[in-house]
Amino acid sequence: MYPSSTIYVPNFKSTSIIYIICILFTFICIGLLPFLKINISVHSSALIRPTTEISVIRSLVNGRVKESFITENQSVQKGDVLYVIESEPLIERERFSLAKKQDVEYFIHDLNSLIHLSNTEDLITSLYQQSYYNYQQKVIEVSVRLKKTQTDYNRNFKLHSQKVIADSEFETHQFELDKAKNDLEILKQTQLSQWQSELRTLK
């Protein structure tokens, strides 16, 4: 007896079907290629620029924005208020400037009164109240000296008219009287010039 053996006969029909299906699938894929879209994203650093040039706005002072008067894409013109910036140093400087301005206005008011010697009772500032007081004291001192010199002159005038005193002695009293009058006038003119100069400076 001969040993038994199995012989396989290849199935050519099944192989042909698979082959045809593969070919058809390939052609279908090739035919669908024009209709396929693949999104490709590329990462790269870039700078986006607007179509028009950007104008950078910078504030000359530091502070916080208190109010805003613009919106996005709003057109603005030269002179438009964009933001209100609140700054404590600026507020302090403004307060100081306003106080200084008020003081200067009071000084000018007092100086106008002193120059014309009118409404001197209504002087506002202590500086020019003191200045007027000092001026009055000087005027009183010079006026007292003038009054005494005038009295001496009147007495010596009578004596001179009666030929009791010599001409040289009488001329001395005349000189003292003229000097006292001149001192009073110089005092007034000097003080007036000083006040006028201060007024011009303040203005």
Side-chain angles (χ1 to χ4, degrees), residues 124-184:
I124 301 172
T125 63
S126 58
L127 173 65
Y128 288 110
Q129 288 174 352
Q130 184 66 37
S131 177
Y132 181 62
Y133 174 77
N134 294 337
Y135 168 70
Q136 284 183 311
Q137 293 301 311
K138 291 177 182 177
V139 169
I140 290 172
E141 291 175 7
V142 176
S143 297
V144 168
R145 188 160 59 248
L146 174 61
K147 185 177 180 180
K148 182 180 182 304
T149 307
Q150 183 72 54
T151 301
D152 291 343
Y153 172 81
N154 292 338
R155 184 170 53 251
N156 284 279
F157 178 77
K158 291 179 182 179
L159 295 174
H160 180 261
S161 62
Q162 295 172 2
K163 306 294 184 179
V164 176
I165 59 174
D167 290 344
S168 59
E169 186 177 348
F170 175 72
E171 288 172 357
T172 301
H173 291 289
Q174 177 73 52
F175 173 77
E176 291 295 332
L177 177 62
D178 293 340
K179 182 177 181 301
K181 289 180 179 179
N182 191 47
D183 288 344
L184 181 60

Side-chain angles (χ1 to χ4, degrees), residues 6-151:
T6 304
I7 299 173
Y8 293 95
V9 178
N11 190 350
F12 292 103
K13 186 176 181 181
S14 298
T15 304
S16 299
I17 292 172
I18 293 173
Y19 179 72
I20 292 171
I21 290 172
C22 289
I23 291 176
L24 287 175
F25 180 75
T26 303
F27 279 111
I28 290 171
C29 290
I30 293 172
L32 291 175
L33 284 177
F35 302 100
L36 295 177
K37 292 184 179 179
I38 300 174
N39 294 326
I40 300 175
S41 59
V42 178
H43 295 280
S44 177
S45 59
L47 182 64
I48 300 175
R49 293 185 179 274
T51 55
T52 57
E53 188 65 27
I54 293 178
S55 297
V56 180
I57 301 174
R58 291 187 177 89
S59 174
L60 298 177
V61 296
N62 295 325
R64 65 182 184 86
V65 176
K66 184 179 180 181
E67 284 185 82
S68 174
F69 297 95
I70 58 172
T71 57
E72 191 173 354
N73 295 324
Q74 175 186 336
S75 297
V76 294
Q77 303 295 327
K78 182 179 179 180
D80 290 350
V81 178
L82 306 181
Y83 299 98
V84 175
I85 298 178
E86 192 173 59
S87 174
E88 284 300 325
L90 283 182
I91 292 173
E92 278 304 314
R93 284 175 59 189
E94 183 181 13
R95 287 177 187 155
F96 175 78
S97 297
L98 289 174
K100 189 174 181 181
K101 178 176 178 289
Q102 186 69 68
D103 289 342
V104 170
E105 288 175 351
Y106 288 156
F107 290 154
I108 290 175
H109 169 272
D110 286 355
L111 283 170
N112 282 323
S113 299
L114 290 173
I115 288 172
H116 300 95
L117 292 177
S118 61
N119 300 323
T120 53
E121 299 84 5
D122 299 331
L123 296 176
I124 301 172
T125 63
S126 58
L127 173 65
Y128 288 110
Q129 288 174 352
Q130 184 66 37
S131 177
Y132 181 62
Y133 174 77
N134 294 337
Y135 168 70
Q136 284 183 311
Q137 293 301 311
K138 291 177 182 177
V139 169
I140 290 172
E141 291 175 7
V142 176
S143 297
V144 168
R145 188 160 59 248
L146 174 61
K147 185 177 180 180
K148 182 180 182 304
T149 307
Q150 183 72 54
T151 301

